[in-house]
Amino acid sequence: MIRYGHRVTQADWNSSLGRWLVTVEKTGVDGAKTLQKVSCRLFYLCSGYYSYAEGHRPEFPGEADFKGQIVHPQFWPEGLDYAGKNVVVIGSGATAVTLVPAMAAQAARVTMLQRSPTYIVTLPGEDALAAKWRRRYGDRIAYRLTRAKNVAWTMLMFRLARRRPAQFARRLLQLAQAQLPAGYDMGRHLTPAYRPWEQRLCAVPDGDLFKSIREGRAEIVIDRIERFTADGIELASGAKLGADVVVTATGLKLNLLGDVELSLDGKPADLSQRISYKGMMFGGVPNLIYTFGYTNASWTLKADLVADYACRLLREMRRSGERVAMPAPEADVEPTPFIDFSSGDFQRAAHFLPKQGSRKPWRLNQNYVLDWMVLRADKIRDGVMRFSAAPAEGRT
């Protein structure tokens, strides 16, 4: 059953019942909000790690003086008119590189304003090999072949980037330069200070961003904002950017478990002090599974593995008659940062993210093959996962 207009706000594990008691805020058709209580044995969160309520939105000096329109991509106004206007997109991530060529098709000119460059790579809008396989083998076989190919390719590229960062970065820049005007300042505009995959690579379909730059409809400016003015933005270098519309693609705000307030028998569960088990449960927290996808590959690859594990766990508990499953913390496991990523959104969230452990099964793998072995091939009863029967009053 899917319940729309419902938002989980709190969840408390009740040991005497062996169940999660969940508080849900329901929004009626008239906008009125009421609270409901539901209970469950397994609490499975698939809420992602970005806040739906707010994005990362720094305030800039002089914003009140600006006579144009300021827009955050997460709350895009319906009917925004930017045709024939000068647009400045502040940001360097995936949102910015997606918006710039799309808006350049109608705007007079679009400027992508960045404090520092990012790696940008062109990917084909259509997978020619997948299309060939579909014609030859049909949809089902072609899907499996394409999935395997994409997984292998992504893992290979990530491994090459980590093992040979200088060569990998040089090749990325060569590919970008080939799509840009002669003499384009690659060092200033497209050469980051970090190594590839210390932050995400930004992909542009069929090189649409580079095409917009070649055609003079878009540009990249590397500088810092000094202040907003009535008709644009003044930069730290002294240069000025005229703007009718400013899009603040300044990042997203991370959260954990959809901002649900979690507690165990009424006591707040500080997940920042807990260690993640197999990247999908928490040490000392019973009957809770969460989905946290990859930062270097498709999110759904990990989501599929977690869902498969959840089914295996439920089948094992049904077979044994046990109702509580909890990863038991191990004293000799050293806590380490949850994720090795230098992007701003993860750095801003480091204080509330959980930890990962120094060894299996407490490691957070950014590797589909390793996770396949851990979540699909390894035994459910691995000596760390502890099972128990629910209290008599909690059995249904």
Side-chain angles (χ1 to χ4, degrees), residues 51-79:
S51 169
Y52 298 107
E54 58 180 319
H56 176 62
R57 171 65 168 88
E59 296 292 329
F60 299 103
E63 282 189 39
D65 299 331
F66 182 56
K67 302 302 183 184
Q69 189 169 3
I70 301 176
V71 176
H72 193 283
Q74 193 166 345
F75 306 100
W76 197 265
E78 187 175 351

PDB file of all heavy atoms in Angstrom, residues 51-79:
ATOM      1  N   SER A  51      17.738  16.689   1.283  1.00  0.00           N
ATOM      2  CA  SER A  51      16.574  17.298   1.904  1.00  0.00           C
ATOM      3  C   SER A  51      15.607  17.785   0.832  1.00  0.00           C
ATOM      4  O   SER A  51      16.004  18.450  -0.134  1.00  0.00           O
ATOM      5  CB  SER A  51      16.994  18.473   2.784  1.00  0.00           C
ATOM      6  OG  SER A  51      15.871  19.227   3.195  1.00  0.00           O
ATOM      7  N   TYR A  52      14.333  17.457   1.002  1.00  0.00           N
ATOM      8  CA  TYR A  52      13.302  17.961   0.104  1.00  0.00           C
ATOM      9  C   TYR A  52      12.808  19.336   0.547  1.00  0.00           C
ATOM     10  O   TYR A  52      12.170  20.050  -0.220  1.00  0.00           O
ATOM     11  CB  TYR A  52      12.119  16.993   0.046  1.00  0.00           C
ATOM     12  CG  TYR A  52      12.483  15.631  -0.493  1.00  0.00           C
ATOM     13  CD1 TYR A  52      12.561  14.529   0.347  1.00  0.00           C
ATOM     14  CD2 TYR A  52      12.773  15.450  -1.841  1.00  0.00           C
ATOM     15  CE1 TYR A  52      12.913  13.273  -0.136  1.00  0.00           C
ATOM     16  CE2 TYR A  52      13.125  14.202  -2.333  1.00  0.00           C
ATOM     17  CZ  TYR A  52      13.187  13.117  -1.477  1.00  0.00           C
ATOM     18  OH  TYR A  52      13.548  11.891  -1.963  1.00  0.00           O
ATOM     19  N   ALA A  53      13.103  19.698   1.775  1.00  0.00           N
ATOM     20  CA  ALA A  53      12.565  20.937   2.328  1.00  0.00           C
ATOM     21  C   ALA A  53      13.412  22.152   1.967  1.00  0.00           C
ATOM     22  O   ALA A  53      12.895  23.258   1.804  1.00  0.00           O
ATOM     23  CB  ALA A  53      12.463  20.830   3.854  1.00  0.00           C
ATOM     24  N   GLU A  54      14.723  21.967   1.833  1.00  0.00           N
ATOM     25  CA  GLU A  54      15.588  23.104   1.533  1.00  0.00           C
ATOM     26  C   GLU A  54      16.875  22.631   0.883  1.00  0.00           C
ATOM     27  O   GLU A  54      17.331  21.503   1.106  1.00  0.00           O
ATOM     28  CB  GLU A  54      15.923  23.895   2.803  1.00  0.00           C
ATOM     29  CG  GLU A  54      16.602  23.072   3.889  1.00  0.00           C
ATOM     30  CD  GLU A  54      16.918  23.898   5.110  1.00  0.00           C
ATOM     31  OE1 GLU A  54      17.353  25.062   4.955  1.00  0.00           O
ATOM     32  OE2 GLU A  54      16.752  23.383   6.221  1.00  0.00           O
ATOM     33  N   GLY A  55      17.451  23.502   0.056  1.00  0.00           N
ATOM     34  CA  GLY A  55      18.742  23.240  -0.534  1.00  0.00           C
ATOM     35  C   GLY A  55      19.810  24.054   0.172  1.00  0.00           C
ATOM     36  O   GLY A  55      19.531  24.833   1.088  1.00  0.00           O
ATOM     37  N   HIS A  56      21.047  23.869  -0.258  1.00  0.00           N
ATOM     38  CA  HIS A  56      22.122  24.709   0.279  1.00  0.00           C
ATOM     39  C   HIS A  56      22.076  26.052  -0.442  1.00  0.00           C
ATOM     40  O   HIS A  56      22.241  26.127  -1.655  1.00  0.00           O
ATOM     41  CB  HIS A  56      23.482  24.039   0.061  1.00  0.00           C
ATOM     42  CG  HIS A  56      24.631  24.893   0.508  1.00  0.00           C
ATOM     43  ND1 HIS A  56      24.799  25.281   1.818  1.00  0.00           N
ATOM     44  CD2 HIS A  56      25.659  25.457  -0.191  1.00  0.00           C
ATOM     45  CE1 HIS A  56      25.886  26.028   1.921  1.00  0.00           C
ATOM     46  NE2 HIS A  56      26.422  26.150   0.718  1.00  0.00           N
ATOM     47  N   ARG A  57      21.821  27.097   0.309  1.00  0.00           N
ATOM     48  CA  ARG A  57      21.597  28.414  -0.295  1.00  0.00           C
ATOM     49  C   ARG A  57      22.323  29.491   0.502  1.00  0.00           C
ATOM     50  O   ARG A  57      21.778  30.082   1.439  1.00  0.00           O
ATOM     51  CB  ARG A  57      20.093  28.694  -0.361  1.00  0.00           C
ATOM     52  CG  ARG A  57      19.698  30.098  -0.766  1.00  0.00           C
ATOM     53  CD  ARG A  57      20.103  30.446  -2.209  1.00  0.00           C
ATOM     54  NE  ARG A  57      19.446  31.678  -2.630  1.00  0.00           N
ATOM     55  CZ  ARG A  57      19.942  32.885  -2.439  1.00  0.00           C
ATOM     56  NH1 ARG A  57      21.118  33.034  -1.838  1.00  0.00           N
ATOM     57  NH2 ARG A  57      19.267  33.947  -2.857  1.00  0.00           N
ATOM     58  N   PRO A  58      23.612  29.753   0.181  1.00  0.00           N
ATOM     59  CA  PRO A  58      24.313  30.830   0.879  1.00  0.00           C
ATOM     60  C   PRO A  58      23.713  32.189   0.531  1.00  0.00           C
ATOM     61  O   PRO A  58      23.181  32.387  -0.557  1.00  0.00           O
ATOM     62  CB  PRO A  58      25.748  30.710   0.352  1.00  0.00           C
ATOM     63  CG  PRO A  58      25.620  30.013  -0.960  1.00  0.00           C
ATOM     64  CD  PRO A  58      24.450  29.095  -0.834  1.00  0.00           C
ATOM     65  N   GLU A  59      23.788  33.098   1.467  1.00  0.00           N
ATOM     66  CA  GLU A  59      23.332  34.468   1.226  1.00  0.00           C
ATOM     67  C   GLU A  59      24.504  35.298   0.709  1.00  0.00           C
ATOM     68  O   GLU A  59      25.626  35.200   1.217  1.00  0.00           O
ATOM     69  CB  GLU A  59      22.790  35.084   2.520  1.00  0.00           C
ATOM     70  CG  GLU A  59      21.548  34.380   3.061  1.00  0.00           C
ATOM     71  CD  GLU A  59      20.340  34.573   2.169  1.00  0.00           C
ATOM     72  OE1 GLU A  59      20.252  35.644   1.515  1.00  0.00           O
ATOM     73  OE2 GLU A  59      19.498  33.666   2.113  1.00  0.00           O
ATOM     74  N   PHE A  60      24.247  36.126  -0.295  1.00  0.00           N
ATOM     75  CA  PHE A  60      25.295  36.950  -0.889  1.00  0.00           C
ATOM     76  C   PHE A  60      25.061  38.415  -0.545  1.00  0.00           C
ATOM     77  O   PHE A  60      23.911  38.872  -0.496  1.00  0.00           O
ATOM     78  CB  PHE A  60      25.313  36.772  -2.407  1.00  0.00           C
ATOM     79  CG  PHE A  60      25.597  35.362  -2.851  1.00  0.00           C
ATOM     80  CD1 PHE A  60      24.572  34.546  -3.309  1.00  0.00           C
ATOM     81  CD2 PHE A  60      26.881  34.851  -2.789  1.00  0.00           C
ATOM     82  CE1 PHE A  60      24.829  33.246  -3.718  1.00  0.00           C
ATOM     83  CE2 PHE A  60      27.151  33.546  -3.188  1.00  0.00           C
ATOM     84  CZ  PHE A  60      26.121  32.741  -3.650  1.00  0.00           C
ATOM     85  N   PRO A  61      26.127  39.173  -0.320  1.00  0.00           N
ATOM     86  CA  PRO A  61      25.959  40.604  -0.025  1.00  0.00           C
ATOM     87  C   PRO A  61      25.239  41.326  -1.165  1.00  0.00           C
ATOM     88  O   PRO A  61      25.493  41.061  -2.343  1.00  0.00           O
ATOM     89  CB  PRO A  61      27.413  41.102   0.105  1.00  0.00           C
ATOM     90  CG  PRO A  61      28.226  39.890   0.420  1.00  0.00           C
ATOM     91  CD  PRO A  61      27.545  38.756  -0.271  1.00  0.00           C
ATOM     92  N   GLY A  62      24.329  42.194  -0.801  1.00  0.00           N
ATOM     93  CA  GLY A  62      23.663  43.041  -1.774  1.00  0.00           C
ATOM     94  C   GLY A  62      22.515  42.405  -2.519  1.00  0.00           C
ATOM     95  O   GLY A  62      21.985  42.997  -3.468  1.00  0.00           O
ATOM     96  N   GLU A  63      22.079  41.220  -2.114  1.00  0.00           N
ATOM     97  CA  GLU A  63      20.990  40.558  -2.835  1.00  0.00           C
ATOM     98  C   GLU A  63      19.734  41.435  -2.905  1.00  0.00           C
ATOM     99  O   GLU A  63      19.006  41.431  -3.903  1.00  0.00           O
ATOM    100  CB  GLU A  63      20.642  39.222  -2.173  1.00  0.00           C
ATOM    101  CG  GLU A  63      21.595  38.100  -2.500  1.00  0.00           C
ATOM    102  CD  GLU A  63      21.085  36.753  -1.994  1.00  0.00           C
ATOM    103  OE1 GLU A  63      19.865  36.512  -2.082  1.00  0.00           O
ATOM    104  OE2 GLU A  63      21.896  35.958  -1.506  1.00  0.00           O
ATOM    105  N   ALA A  64      19.479  42.186  -1.840  1.00  0.00           N
ATOM    106  CA  ALA A  64      18.273  43.023  -1.805  1.00  0.00           C
ATOM    107  C   ALA A  64      18.316  44.130  -2.855  1.00  0.00           C
ATOM    108  O   ALA A  64      17.266  44.668  -3.250  1.00  0.00           O
ATOM    109  CB  ALA A  64      18.104  43.633  -0.417  1.00  0.00           C
ATOM    110  N   ASP A  65      19.520  44.470  -3.326  1.00  0.00           N
ATOM    111  CA  ASP A  65      19.642  45.533  -4.332  1.00  0.00           C
ATOM    112  C   ASP A  65      19.330  45.033  -5.743  1.00  0.00           C
ATOM    113  O   ASP A  65      19.074  45.845  -6.642  1.00  0.00           O
ATOM    114  CB  ASP A  65      21.068  46.100  -4.323  1.00  0.00           C
ATOM    115  CG  ASP A  65      21.429  46.721  -2.981  1.00  0.00           C
ATOM    116  OD1 ASP A  65      20.514  47.210  -2.293  1.00  0.00           O
ATOM    117  OD2 ASP A  65      22.625  46.691  -2.616  1.00  0.00           O
ATOM    118  N   PHE A  66      19.362  43.728  -5.947  1.00  0.00           N
ATOM    119  CA  PHE A  66      19.212  43.171  -7.282  1.00  0.00           C
ATOM    120  C   PHE A  66      17.764  43.323  -7.757  1.00  0.00           C
ATOM    121  O   PHE A  66      16.820  42.933  -7.063  1.00  0.00           O
ATOM    122  CB  PHE A  66      19.616  41.698  -7.265  1.00  0.00           C
ATOM    123  CG  PHE A  66      19.555  41.015  -8.600  1.00  0.00           C
ATOM    124  CD1 PHE A  66      20.248  41.517  -9.687  1.00  0.00           C
ATOM    125  CD2 PHE A  66      18.799  39.855  -8.777  1.00  0.00           C
ATOM    126  CE1 PHE A  66      20.199  40.881 -10.921  1.00  0.00           C
ATOM    127  CE2 PHE A  66      18.736  39.216  -9.998  1.00  0.00           C
ATOM    128  CZ  PHE A  66      19.443  39.732 -11.082  1.00  0.00           C
ATOM    129  N   LYS A  67      17.581  43.867  -8.956  1.00  0.00           N
ATOM    130  CA  LYS A  67      16.244  44.134  -9.480  1.00  0.00           C
ATOM    131  C   LYS A  67      15.686  42.967 -10.299  1.00  0.00           C
ATOM    132  O   LYS A  67      14.505  42.983 -10.660  1.00  0.00           O
ATOM    133  CB  LYS A  67      16.271  45.389 -10.355  1.00  0.00           C
ATOM    134  CG  LYS A  67      16.774  46.632  -9.649  1.00  0.00           C
ATOM    135  CD  LYS A  67      15.953  46.970  -8.412  1.00  0.00           C
ATOM    136  CE  LYS A  67      16.437  48.258  -7.763  1.00  0.00           C
ATOM    137  NZ  LYS A  67      15.700  48.548  -6.490  1.00  0.00           N
ATOM    138  N   GLY A  68      16.531  41.987 -10.588  1.00  0.00           N
ATOM    139  CA  GLY A  68      16.069  40.843 -11.358  1.00  0.00           C
ATOM    140  C   GLY A  68      15.480  39.765 -10.461  1.00  0.00           C
ATOM    141  O   GLY A  68      15.047  40.019  -9.339  1.00  0.00           O
ATOM    142  N   GLN A  69      15.484  38.529 -10.955  1.00  0.00           N
ATOM    143  CA  GLN A  69      14.872  37.405 -10.251  1.00  0.00           C
ATOM    144  C   GLN A  69      15.950  36.420  -9.836  1.00  0.00           C
ATOM    145  O   GLN A  69      16.836  36.075 -10.635  1.00  0.00           O
ATOM    146  CB  GLN A  69      13.832  36.714 -11.149  1.00  0.00           C
ATOM    147  CG  GLN A  69      12.987  35.681 -10.443  1.00  0.00           C
ATOM    148  CD  GLN A  69      11.812  35.215 -11.302  1.00  0.00           C
ATOM    149  OE1 GLN A  69      11.664  35.643 -12.457  1.00  0.00           O
ATOM    150  NE2 GLN A  69      10.979  34.349 -10.757  1.00  0.00           N
ATOM    151  N   ILE A  70      15.887  35.954  -8.581  1.00  0.00           N
ATOM    152  CA  ILE A  70      16.816  34.946  -8.065  1.00  0.00           C
ATOM    153  C   ILE A  70      16.041  33.653  -7.859  1.00  0.00           C
ATOM    154  O   ILE A  70      14.991  33.643  -7.203  1.00  0.00           O
ATOM    155  CB  ILE A  70      17.472  35.400  -6.743  1.00  0.00           C
ATOM    156  CG1 ILE A  70      18.246  36.711  -6.954  1.00  0.00           C
ATOM    157  CG2 ILE A  70      18.399  34.317  -6.211  1.00  0.00           C
ATOM    158  CD1 ILE A  70      18.855  37.281  -5.679  1.00  0.00           C
ATOM    159  N   VAL A  71      16.561  32.579  -8.417  1.00  0.00           N
ATOM    160  CA  VAL A  71      15.854  31.295  -8.418  1.00  0.00           C
ATOM    161  C   VAL A  71      16.779  30.218  -7.876  1.00  0.00           C
ATOM    162  O   VAL A  71      17.969  30.178  -8.223  1.00  0.00           O
ATOM    163  CB  VAL A  71      15.418  30.916  -9.856  1.00  0.00           C
ATOM    164  CG1 VAL A  71      14.780  29.536  -9.885  1.00  0.00           C
ATOM    165  CG2 VAL A  71      14.472  31.964 -10.412  1.00  0.00           C
ATOM    166  N   HIS A  72      16.250  29.339  -7.018  1.00  0.00           N
ATOM    167  CA  HIS A  72      16.986  28.135  -6.615  1.00  0.00           C
ATOM    168  C   HIS A  72      16.409  26.952  -7.388  1.00  0.00           C
ATOM    169  O   HIS A  72      15.180  26.783  -7.439  1.00  0.00           O
ATOM    170  CB  HIS A  72      16.873  27.879  -5.108  1.00  0.00           C
ATOM    171  CG  HIS A  72      17.854  26.855  -4.617  1.00  0.00           C
ATOM    172  ND1 HIS A  72      17.676  25.501  -4.819  1.00  0.00           N
ATOM    173  CD2 HIS A  72      19.032  26.975  -3.951  1.00  0.00           C
ATOM    174  CE1 HIS A  72      18.703  24.843  -4.296  1.00  0.00           C
ATOM    175  NE2 HIS A  72      19.533  25.720  -3.771  1.00  0.00           N
ATOM    176  N   PRO A  73      17.253  26.130  -8.014  1.00  0.00           N
ATOM    177  CA  PRO A  73      16.739  25.048  -8.864  1.00  0.00           C
ATOM    178  C   PRO A  73      15.803  24.078  -8.152  1.00  0.00           C
ATOM    179  O   PRO A  73      14.903  23.514  -8.789  1.00  0.00           O
ATOM    180  CB  PRO A  73      18.015  24.330  -9.322  1.00  0.00           C
ATOM    181  CG  PRO A  73      19.091  25.350  -9.200  1.00  0.00           C
ATOM    182  CD  PRO A  73      18.723  26.196  -8.028  1.00  0.00           C
ATOM    183  N   GLN A  74      15.997  23.890  -6.849  1.00  0.00           N
ATOM    184  CA  GLN A  74      15.159  22.936  -6.131  1.00  0.00           C
ATOM    185  C   GLN A  74      13.718  23.424  -6.015  1.00  0.00           C
ATOM    186  O   GLN A  74      12.808  22.618  -5.804  1.00  0.00           O
ATOM    187  CB  GLN A  74      15.757  22.654  -4.748  1.00  0.00           C
ATOM    188  CG  GLN A  74      15.144  21.466  -4.046  1.00  0.00           C
ATOM    189  CD  GLN A  74      15.955  21.014  -2.856  1.00  0.00           C
ATOM    190  OE1 GLN A  74      17.105  21.383  -2.698  1.00  0.00           O
ATOM    191  NE2 GLN A  74      15.369  20.206  -1.993  1.00  0.00           N
ATOM    192  N   PHE A  75      13.515  24.723  -6.168  1.00  0.00           N
ATOM    193  CA  PHE A  75      12.168  25.294  -6.061  1.00  0.00           C
ATOM    194  C   PHE A  75      11.919  26.175  -7.288  1.00  0.00           C
ATOM    195  O   PHE A  75      11.676  27.378  -7.176  1.00  0.00           O
ATOM    196  CB  PHE A  75      12.035  26.074  -4.759  1.00  0.00           C
ATOM    197  CG  PHE A  75      12.402  25.261  -3.539  1.00  0.00           C
ATOM    198  CD1 PHE A  75      13.650  25.398  -2.959  1.00  0.00           C
ATOM    199  CD2 PHE A  75      11.527  24.319  -3.029  1.00  0.00           C
ATOM    200  CE1 PHE A  75      14.008  24.629  -1.861  1.00  0.00           C
ATOM    201  CE2 PHE A  75      11.882  23.544  -1.930  1.00  0.00           C
ATOM    202  CZ  PHE A  75      13.117  23.697  -1.346  1.00  0.00           C
ATOM    203  N   TRP A  76      11.989  25.541  -8.437  1.00  0.00           N
ATOM    204  CA  TRP A  76      11.879  26.246  -9.707  1.00  0.00           C
ATOM    205  C   TRP A  76      10.473  26.814  -9.884  1.00  0.00           C
ATOM    206  O   TRP A  76       9.490  26.093  -9.809  1.00  0.00           O
ATOM    207  CB  TRP A  76      12.184  25.275 -10.844  1.00  0.00           C
ATOM    208  CG  TRP A  76      12.497  25.936 -12.145  1.00  0.00           C
ATOM    209  CD1 TRP A  76      11.624  26.182 -13.160  1.00  0.00           C
ATOM    210  CD2 TRP A  76      13.771  26.420 -12.575  1.00  0.00           C
ATOM    211  NE1 TRP A  76      12.273  26.794 -14.205  1.00  0.00           N
ATOM    212  CE2 TRP A  76      13.600  26.952 -13.878  1.00  0.00           C
ATOM    213  CE3 TRP A  76      15.038  26.459 -12.004  1.00  0.00           C
ATOM    214  CZ2 TRP A  76      14.644  27.517 -14.606  1.00  0.00           C
ATOM    215  CZ3 TRP A  76      16.079  27.014 -12.715  1.00  0.00           C
ATOM    216  CH2 TRP A  76      15.883  27.532 -13.993  1.00  0.00           C
ATOM    217  N   PRO A  77      10.352  28.105 -10.114  1.00  0.00           N
ATOM    218  CA  PRO A  77       9.012  28.697 -10.263  1.00  0.00           C
ATOM    219  C   PRO A  77       8.383  28.316 -11.602  1.00  0.00           C
ATOM    220  O   PRO A  77       9.052  28.324 -12.640  1.00  0.00           O
ATOM    221  CB  PRO A  77       9.283  30.203 -10.189  1.00  0.00           C
ATOM    222  CG  PRO A  77      10.698  30.362 -10.628  1.00  0.00           C
ATOM    223  CD  PRO A  77      11.420  29.116 -10.186  1.00  0.00           C
ATOM    224  N   GLU A  78       7.131  27.998 -11.568  1.00  0.00           N
ATOM    225  CA  GLU A  78       6.424  27.648 -12.791  1.00  0.00           C
ATOM    226  C   GLU A  78       6.325  28.871 -13.697  1.00  0.00           C
ATOM    227  O   GLU A  78       6.023  29.972 -13.254  1.00  0.00           O
ATOM    228  CB  GLU A  78       5.024  27.121 -12.454  1.00  0.00           C
ATOM    229  CG  GLU A  78       4.265  26.583 -13.647  1.00  0.00           C
ATOM    230  CD  GLU A  78       2.937  25.959 -13.262  1.00  0.00           C
ATOM    231  OE1 GLU A  78       2.685  25.800 -12.045  1.00  0.00           O
ATOM    232  OE2 GLU A  78       2.152  25.640 -14.173  1.00  0.00           O
ATOM    233  N   GLY A  79       6.617  28.654 -14.974  1.00  0.00           N
ATOM    234  CA  GLY A  79       6.487  29.733 -15.940  1.00  0.00           C
ATOM    235  C   GLY A  79       7.606  30.752 -15.900  1.00  0.00           C
ATOM    236  O   GLY A  79       7.422  31.891 -16.355  1.00  0.00           O
TER     237      GLY A  79
END
